[in-house]
Amino acid sequence: MLCSDLQPTRCTARMGKVHQGDSDARETQSELSLVRVKGTWKSKLGKINKDTVDCVSAAKIYESTTLKGTSWTVVSPITFTYKVTETHGLLDPSNDTLLLGHITDPQQLELIKKSNKPIRRFIVIDQQVCDIYGPKLTEYLETNNVVYKILALPTTEENKSMETALKILEEVNNFALDRRTEPIIAVGGGVCLDIVGLAASLYRRRTPYIRVPTTLLSYIDASVGAKTGVNFANCKNKLGAYIPPVAAFLDLSFIKSVQRRHISNGLAEMLKMALMKHKGLFELLEEHGSMLLDTKFQADNCVYGNSSPKVASQATRIAITTMLEELAPNLWEDDLNRLVDFGHLISPALEMKVLPSLLHGEAVNIDMSYMVYVSHESGLLTEEEKQRIINCMMGLELPVWHEEFTMELIQKSLQDRLKHSGGLVRMPLPVGLGQADIFNNTSYDILHRAHIKWCEELSISSDSSNCDA
């Protein structure tokens, strides 16, 4: 449900008159409820007898009349319900989660199970993921007598574009998808999930879709939110929509086929949530980060005994919970003060500038590393806390510095942010381990001094040309 403060404050819940100078400006305002009677919606003024109507909508119409004419303001609360489900053996033919796990109505679920009508599914899968899991996915679908189409695409940051989204839509249209009962399934990393989500939001104005993340980054980040998008005009995710999936199905077993660098990449977003909200998660990553990298979040590694699955489960659940805490009340980003933007002020420009040399999480971590120095220079972090964070980043095998992360890039990115964030920088900064706040008045002097120290302490060469003297 949208927050109540989004309702127009000028609308009142009663008949009344407002005098604004001369008689021509006299205004009458009315709040009209919407009720359904015998299949027809009608607007009603005043108290509603619920026994005489079929349904009362949460929407309202506010009618304003003056001598110059009438205007109507519609307030229509929107509710999205979506499930984020951890599961095991998602591609085991006996596990029906992938096909039916998104259905929340028990009666609807029972009807589908009893029906002789075959289930139809359109699946978009990242090409590399398909090379590994394609045969298993095909077996799963055929064993369950599913009528299906699998579209394997190379979903990388370079082709995260409207052209790719339109290619998906053309194939969806050829499949003759039923937008009410046949959700599109996206299987892959964050780029794949973002593109498919946007395509689904465009097809017949909104077609349900399901996210199946296969990388650690998408497991704890892209899969649990509402954002979809593609790159445009050399800007990251400049085109997009806020349309959550009907469900996200999380299976950690996919992570075992991910390269070590990509697991480290995902740990960056996990560390982001730790630094912003959860000291316990930070300490867990600080102590067990190397083990999580070695075991790839899997239980079948005898070197670490029983501690590996316990730590992996604990880390992912805390990361997802803290992420949902921040996203659920603000799915449409009506509130621009967002802790989850930590590490995302400068990194989008950096990532696009050096594409494809940096992964998303790596660019985010470089941004976070610099912002830790900004926090320290602002007196928000102690030297010990700063060093613990940087050491943790290095322990997670994440980059902490980049030569293209210049003061020029910082200034340009923050100026762009001012344009799109209501004239305020809204800079999330850690104010301790697992604590954070939003700041709007960090001076250029602090940013500059932090950058100098950051370069001096973390650059691979002491005479790097981008460090201002």
Side-chain angles (χ1 to χ4, degrees):
M1 186 74 71
L2 289 181
C3 298
S4 59
D5 61 3
L6 294 180
Q7 296 187 16
T9 55
R10 61 187 176 86
C11 299
T12 60
R14 57 183 174 79
M15 291 287 289
K17 294 183 178 180
V18 179
H19 298 278
Q20 300 176 350
D22 59 51
S23 59
D24 287 345
R26 189 173 298 151
E27 182 178 5
T28 301
Q29 293 183 331
S30 305
E31 178 185 292
L32 303 173
S33 297
L34 292 162
V35 299
R36 188 167 61 197
V37 181
K38 296 181 179 180
T40 300
W41 287 101
K42 296 179 179 292
S43 56
K44 295 289 185 182
L45 181 67
K47 189 175 181 179
I48 304 298
N49 182 355
K50 293 185 178 181
D51 294 333
T52 64
V53 301
D54 301 330
C55 177
V56 180
S57 173
K60 299 280 189 182
I61 296 176
Y62 295 90
E63 185 177 279
S64 176
T65 304
T66 69
L67 294 178
K68 295 179 179 179
T70 303
S71 66
W72 296 265
T73 300
V74 177
V75 176
S76 183
I78 300 172
T79 300
F80 273 116
T81 301
Y82 66 100
K83 296 173 67 176
V84 179
T85 302
E86 286 190 314
T87 186
H88 302 285
L90 187 64
L91 297 184
D92 183 332
S94 64
N95 185 348
D96 65 4
T97 300
L98 184 62
L99 300 175
L100 304 176
H102 65 287
I103 300 173
T104 56
D105 184 345
Q107 290 183 329
Q108 181 186 2
L109 184 61
E110 192 62 28
L111 285 173
I112 292 174
K113 288 183 175 181
K114 289 181 178 179
S115 173
N116 292 323
K117 184 180 178 181
I119 293 174
R120 301 174 77 252
R121 289 294 182 268
F122 187 94
I123 299 105
V124 182
I125 186 170
D126 175 81
Q127 183 64 66
Q128 291 187 346
V129 176
C130 189
D131 292 343
I132 301 170
Y133 296 103
K136 195 170 184 179
L137 175 61
T138 301
E139 180 188 3
Y140 175 91
L141 296 168
E142 293 184 349
T143 301
N144 286 284
N145 299 313
V146 178
V147 177
Y148 66 91
K149 164 71 176 179
I150 296 176
L151 177 62
L153 293 174
T155 53
T156 62
E157 205 66 48
E158 296 93 314
N159 56 30
K160 189 179 185 182
S161 62
M162 276 305 299
E163 288 75 16
T164 304
L166 290 172
K167 183 174 183 178
I168 293 169
L169 289 170
E170 186 175 343
E171 294 290 344
V172 166
N173 193 54
N174 292 337
F175 188 68
L177 193 79
D178 183 335
R179 73 181 181 98
R180 299 241 177 226
T181 63
E182 298 169 359
I184 301 170
I185 299 176
V187 184
V191 172
C192 178
L193 305 189
D194 280 357
I195 299 173
V196 174
L198 179 61
S201 73
L202 293 173
Y203 190 69
R204 304 296 298 271
R205 295 185 175 86
R206 181 162 68 91
T207 296
Y209 69 101
I210 290 168
R211 286 173 169 163
V212 179
T214 59
T215 65
L216 181 61
L217 183 71
S218 58
Y219 190 101
I220 61 171
D221 185 23
S223 65
V224 300
K227 290 198 289 190
T228 69
V230 296
N231 301 332
F232 177 72
N234 203 36
C235 292
K236 189 171 174 64
N237 296 326
K238 198 165 189 177
L239 301 180
Y242 296 105
I243 304 291
V246 291
F249 300 134
L250 316 182
D251 186 347
L252 271 177
S253 67
F254 284 114
I255 311 301
K256 65 185 176 185
S257 60
V258 174
Q259 296 175 2
R260 188 180 181 93
R261 181 187 175 190
H262 285 268
I263 295 175
S264 180
N265 183 54
L267 285 167
E269 289 284 359
M270 192 176 285
L271 179 60
K272 175 188 78 175
M273 300 313 298
L275 293 175
M276 291 291 96
K277 289 176 63 76
H278 205 289
K279 184 179 180 180
L281 178 57
F282 172 77
E283 292 172 339
L284 189 151
L285 295 175
E286 186 179 39
E287 182 178 354
H288 300 291
S290 294
M291 179 189 72
L292 292 172
L293 280 166
D294 291 342
T295 61
K296 296 189 173 184
F297 284 75
Q298 303 304 304
D300 54 351
N301 190 304
C302 61
V303 175
Y304 293 97
N306 293 326
S307 61
S308 175
K310 182 178 179 181
V311 172
S313 177
Q314 187 179 6
T316 53
R317 289 188 183 185
I318 293 173
I320 289 170
T321 299
T322 52
M323 186 75 78
L324 288 174
E325 286 174 348
E326 293 298 311
L327 297 181
N330 194 28
L331 279 180
W332 290 268
E333 297 185 3
D334 298 301
D335 184 356
L336 297 175
N337 291 322
R338 304 171 68 250
L339 291 182
V340 292
D341 281 349
F342 182 55
H344 292 71
L345 272 66
I346 322 296
S347 65
L350 174 66
E351 187 177 351
M352 295 302 291
K353 184 174 184 179
V354 303
L355 198 69
S357 65
L358 283 176
L359 300 176
H360 175 70
E362 293 172 336
V364 167
N365 197 76
I366 291 166
D367 189 327
M368 292 195 299
S369 171
Y370 167 68
M371 290 299 173
V372 165
Y373 274 75
V374 173
S375 279
H376 178 255
E377 200 63 30
S378 302
L380 306 174
L381 285 176
T382 67
E383 176 66 27
E384 179 189 2
E385 288 170 332
K386 182 195 81 174
Q387 203 55 53
R388 281 182 66 183
I389 294 170
I390 299 301
N391 289 341
C392 181
M393 290 174 171
M394 292 178 171
L396 299 177
E397 300 179 11
L398 287 161
V400 293
W401 181 86
H402 197 282
E403 62 183 0
E404 295 292 344
F405 199 103
T406 62
M407 276 305 301
E408 181 183 1
L409 188 72
I410 293 166
Q411 286 181 276
K412 184 180 184 305
S413 297
L414 295 182
Q415 285 297 321
D416 288 344
R417 187 166 174 84
L418 285 172
K419 296 176 187 176
H420 306 295
S421 296
L424 298 173
V425 175
R426 305 179 196 272
M427 181 183 291
L429 291 174
V431 298
L433 298 176
Q435 300 176 57
D437 206 344
I438 305 288
F439 294 86
N440 293 307
N441 55 359
T442 305
S443 69
Y444 175 82
D445 183 55
I446 287 176
L447 295 173
H448 186 239
R449 293 202 314 265
H451 190 259
I452 291 174
K453 290 186 179 179
W454 183 62
C455 288
E456 287 175 348
E457 296 183 12
L458 299 182
S459 66
I460 54 175
S461 58
S462 59
D463 60 347
S464 179
S465 60
N466 79 303
C467 297
D468 298 309

